[in-house]
Amino acid sequence: MLKNQWKLIVVIILGIIGAILDFLCGKPTIANLPIAGILIDIFGIYIAITMAVEMVGDIRKGRWGVDILAIIAIVSTMAIGDYWAAWMILVMFTGGESLEDYATSQADKELRSLINNTPRKANKLVDGKITEVNVDDLKIGDHIIVKPAEQVPIDGKIVKGDSSFDQSSLTGESVPVSKKPGDTVMSGSINGDASVELVVTKLAKDSEYQSIVALVKSSEARPAKFVKMADRYAVPFTIISLVIGFIAMALGGWNFTRFAEVMVVASPCPLLIAAPVALVSGMSSMSRNHIIVKSGTTLEKLSRAKTFAFDKTGTLTENKLEISEVVAQNGFDKKEIQSLAASVEQQSTHIIATSLVDSTPKDMIHAVNNLTETTAQGVEGTVDGKKVKVGKLSFVAPNEKVNTVNSTAVYISIDGKYAGYITFKDQIRPETPSTIARLRRQGAKEIMMLTGDHKNVAEQVAKAAGVTDVKYDLLPRQKIQAIKDVPEDLRPVVMTGDGVNDAPSLTAADVGIAMGAKGATAASESADAVIMVNDLSKVNDAVAIGKHTMKVANIDVLTAIFIVIILEIIAATGVIPAFIGAILQEVVDLITICLALLAKTKPSKKQLGEEEKQ
């Protein structure tokens, strides 16, 4: 049950019970239902007290809400003995709170995926024998074995064996990193296809993976300050309503009933309902566009967002490699070395091998014989009678003097002669450039890319995407700092990512958006919104729906305030009894709800950031 839903249920039940009991007691008139009055008074006083306590707390934090008018309306109607007017105000107020709870309630953000994936067991090496132990029981200096395709359970240093490790979920690097004895390995990395022996260098609680969990929890504990839309209208609306109420009381010979009648129509229910209903409608619109929004206030922040930050791998790119350049040397032909290299690599599962094969036409790939793979080094085999080696330069042509290539590359030798190399680049999403361009048309002041990848790779992707602010070689903690460093005049900040390494920065941002098409991940658990399809342009849709929703909500609130003030002025003359005033409030509420439902309509081309046709 939602936090405030029980209040609404209790108010309705009390009204029903009170009405039944009074009817059975032979007093069925609306004007005089004493049992109902007692029940409503008791719960009304409780509601008023709890609201007052919350209001004092909000005022101390510098937030001025509309609760004061609701409290005055409830107390005033009880004071003049108009219990049903008080009951109707309570119904609408608790109903508004329930709607607000629903619209702004956070989905489960307790990092189930991240915590469930935390390494718990390790293969400890004791006297040459492997024993499975709890990760928390490992001490610095212990030796463990990490088997092929296993997750590294704890930070350590390799003492025996070579392998490649997939660190993409931690650092954002799209290509597995080769490690040899003496190299450090981070917990949470995925081992390649060779066993390695590690010596533990950090306790489990201090490991890289656990530090990410801690960072997310720390960021959650310090949510960004944000003022709700209704609260921004609270002070002027409250002042105007109280002034009209006191004038009415003075004109009526200081008749408190006249003041109460004004306060009934001044009840801020429309103000409380307008935003939540519009937000619920906006969230529904998001859902139709395959975007799950966990918080109603997320829409409000999206509508005002000025800075957008993106992870690179899997977000701006497809997390796939494509051939960037084929460089043939020593008289060999580009087409020949690509054909022979792809033929040798066709049986490998390494990401570079599969990318090479996928990027090579099928008619260029031939049968391979005598295939041999050397872990973390490369492969060799015979193709069309030629002995071909593909992999690291030290494996392919250890004596060849070749300038270092500043990008992901494989080297090739044919019949023992160095033949050249093939470089790879991240494959950018086809919709990425248009998404970035549309964000600028939607009002983005700053767009940046935060990645753990290297400078040259990051800059290539940023150039293709149209992003000018690039921050590279970042670990999760540094991504958070980059978001915190955004100046106040460029906030709110929206961060979009998809990996475990993005979880802390998604939580630290004002709005975190996860690319969740591949299933539940730590990023999805930590985000405020999750894009359920593999389409980055949904970020544009999210911003557009946010802008449209808040435009509708603001128009709705201002309309409700205008109508209520007119009713207050009429009530000040004494022609609207409290109970009738409460009924008129219901009419205003109905108008408010109908207007708020317009948030379900499609945003305009300008809000969507689409180019206007000439």
Side-chain angles (χ1 to χ4, degrees):
M1 184 180 290
L2 297 174
K3 184 177 72 173
N4 290 302
Q5 196 177 55
W6 70 271
K7 295 180 184 177
L8 174 61
I9 293 171
V10 170
V11 170
I12 293 173
I13 291 174
L14 287 179
I16 294 171
I17 292 174
I20 292 172
L21 289 175
D22 282 332
F23 184 81
L24 293 175
C25 290
K27 296 180 180 179
T29 60
I30 289 177
N32 184 19
L33 298 179
I35 298 178
I38 293 170
L39 293 174
I40 292 167
D41 272 359
I42 292 171
F43 198 70
I45 291 170
Y46 166 75
I47 293 289
I49 291 173
T50 56
M51 287 171 61
V53 171
E54 291 174 2
M55 184 182 69
V56 170
D58 286 342
I59 292 173
R60 286 179 176 175
K61 294 175 183 177
R63 299 196 301 265
W64 295 81
V66 294
D67 291 350
I68 187 169
L69 280 178
I71 295 170
I72 292 172
I74 292 168
V75 173
S76 298
T77 48
M78 290 191 300
I80 64 174
D82 200 329
Y83 306 116
W84 283 116
W87 180 77
M88 293 183 76
I89 293 170
L90 285 171
V91 168
M92 293 313 301
F93 181 77
T94 54
E97 281 191 327
S98 297
L99 277 170
E100 189 170 18
D101 272 359
Y102 174 72
T104 60
S105 63
Q106 295 286 332
D108 181 11
K109 291 179 65 174
E110 296 182 0
L111 316 172
R112 286 193 308 271
S113 179
L114 186 61
I115 293 172
N116 290 342
N117 288 330
T118 301
R120 290 184 172 84
K121 299 289 183 181
N123 300 313
K124 185 177 179 181
L125 194 62
V126 181
D127 297 329
K129 295 182 179 181
I130 296 177
T131 304
E132 188 176 75
V133 299
N134 290 325
V135 173
D136 293 334
D137 295 334
L138 290 172
K139 297 180 177 61
I140 294 175
D142 285 347
H143 285 238
I144 62 171
I145 298 294
V146 182
K147 298 176 182 179
E150 277 190 345
Q151 186 180 42
V152 178
I154 198 164
D155 289 6
K157 182 182 290 185
I158 297 177
V159 294
K160 188 182 295 184
D162 292 2
S163 189
S164 60
F165 292 83
D166 182 354
Q167 300 180 157
S168 60
S169 66
L170 292 166
T171 66
E173 291 176 285
S174 53
V175 181
V177 179
S178 298
K179 301 280 188 177
K180 61 183 183 302
D183 290 339
T184 57
V185 181
M186 293 184 289
S187 62
S189 304
I190 306 297
N191 189 16
D193 47 15
S195 292
V196 294
E197 181 181 335
L198 303 181
V199 59
V200 177
T201 56
K202 289 183 181 178
L203 297 176
K205 64 183 180 66
D206 300 322
S207 68
E208 188 65 31
Y209 201 90
Q210 288 293 349
S211 71
I212 291 176
V213 176
L215 282 170
V216 177
K217 288 181 177 178
S218 174
S219 297
E220 280 191 322
R222 296 189 297 273
K225 293 181 180 178
F226 197 75
V227 179
K228 293 178 182 178
M229 186 193 71
D231 289 348
R232 292 200 293 272
Y233 294 103
V235 174
F237 180 63
T238 300
I239 292 172
I240 291 171
S241 298
L242 289 174
V243 168
I244 294 174
F246 282 118
I247 291 174
M249 187 166 58
L251 292 175
W254 298 105
N255 183 350
F256 186 74
T257 299
R258 188 75 64 84
F259 176 82
E261 289 169 349
V262 172
M263 288 300 101
V264 168
V265 294
S267 174
C269 292
L271 196 62
L272 293 169
I273 289 174
V277 173
L279 292 174
V280 170
S281 299
M283 291 168 74
S284 174
S285 182
M286 285 279 201
S287 181
R288 290 200 309 273
N289 283 271
H290 309 290
I291 307 164
I292 304 302
V293 178
K294 301 179 181 181
S295 164
T297 51
T298 296
L299 291 169
E300 194 167 352
K301 294 175 186 178
L302 278 170
S303 71
R304 299 169 53 204
K306 294 180 181 177
T307 297
F308 291 81
F310 292 89
D311 173 50
K312 179 184 74 66
T313 306
T315 304
L316 295 178
T317 70
E318 293 186 336
N319 202 12
K320 295 179 182 178
L321 298 176
E322 61 181 359
I323 292 176
S324 174
E325 187 179 15
V326 179
V327 179
Q329 296 177 330
N330 295 331
F332 288 95
D333 178 70
K334 289 183 179 182
K335 191 173 181 180
E336 178 187 15
I337 67 171
Q338 181 179 345
S339 173
L340 293 174
S343 299
V344 173
E345 292 276 33
Q346 63 184 301
Q347 295 182 28
S348 176
T349 57
H350 193 282
I351 186 173
I352 295 179
T354 55
S355 299
L356 173 58
V357 173
D358 290 344
S359 301
T360 303
K362 299 300 180 186
D363 60 357
M364 290 175 60
I365 301 175
H366 308 296
V368 58
N369 299 309
N370 307 317
L371 183 67
T372 304
E373 183 167 359
T374 303
T375 302
Q377 295 296 319
V379 295
E380 56 185 307
T382 304
V383 181
D384 295 336
K386 298 174 182 177
K387 186 176 181 180
V388 183
K389 297 179 85 172
V390 182
K392 291 183 176 180
L393 182 63
S394 58
F395 170 74
V396 169
N399 299 320
E400 193 76 21
K401 292 184 179 180
V402 179
N403 292 330
T404 304
V405 178
N406 293 321
S407 61
T408 303
V410 292
Y411 298 86
I412 304 103
S413 69
I414 301 172
D415 290 330
K417 187 177 181 181
Y418 177 65
Y421 60 87
I422 300 174
T423 62
F424 298 83
K425 64 182 179 180
D426 262 353
Q427 189 172 337
I428 194 168
R429 289 177 180 270
E431 73 272 18
T432 292
S434 61
T435 297
I436 300 302
R438 284 176 62 191
L439 281 175
R440 289 198 168 94
R441 289 195 292 271
Q442 287 176 304
K445 303 297 183 185
E446 182 74 20
I447 299 177
M448 57 185 179
M449 185 175 80
L450 309 178
T451 179
D453 224 331
H454 304 303
K455 178 181 179 180
N456 59 316
V457 176
E459 289 182 341
Q460 286 177 15
V461 172
K463 184 178 180 180
V467 178
T468 54
D469 188 358
V470 185
K471 294 177 173 57
Y472 47 84
D473 289 328
L474 301 181
L475 288 172
R477 191 178 300 274
Q478 294 168 312
K479 286 187 178 183
I480 286 181
Q481 192 57 50
I483 290 172
K484 288 182 177 178
D485 289 342
V486 175
E488 199 62 36
D489 61 336
L490 290 177
R491 289 182 175 275
V493 179
V494 177
M495 171 71 189
T496 305
D498 77 320
V500 172
N501 65 306
D502 299 317
S505 48
L506 291 179
T507 313
D510 298 303
V511 177
I513 300 177
M515 300 292 292
K518 296 179 182 178
T521 65
S524 297
E525 295 293 334
S526 304
D528 300 295
V530 182
I531 295 173
M532 302 306 295
V533 292
N534 195 26
D535 184 356
L536 186 65
S537 69
K538 290 298 177 182
V539 174
N540 298 125
D541 293 342
V543 173
I545 294 170
K547 288 180 179 295
H548 180 59
T549 299
M550 297 319 300
K551 180 180 179 180
V552 169
N554 277 286
I555 291 173
D556 194 8
V557 167
L558 290 171
T559 301
I561 287 175
F562 176 77
I563 294 172
V564 167
I565 289 175
I566 295 298
L567 288 176
E568 288 176 12
I569 293 171
I570 296 172
T573 64
V575 299
I576 303 179
F579 181 73
I580 300 300
I583 293 175
L584 289 174
Q585 265 287 315
E586 303 288 353
V587 175
V588 177
D589 293 339
L590 182 60
I591 294 171
T592 299
I593 291 170
C594 291
L595 286 174
L597 291 175
L598 291 174
K600 285 190 174 185
T601 57
K602 186 179 178 179
S604 66
K605 287 184 177 293
K606 182 178 180 180
Q607 290 168 333
L608 286 164
E610 295 177 352
E611 289 184 297
E612 298 288 346
K613 293 182 180 180
Q614 301 296 325

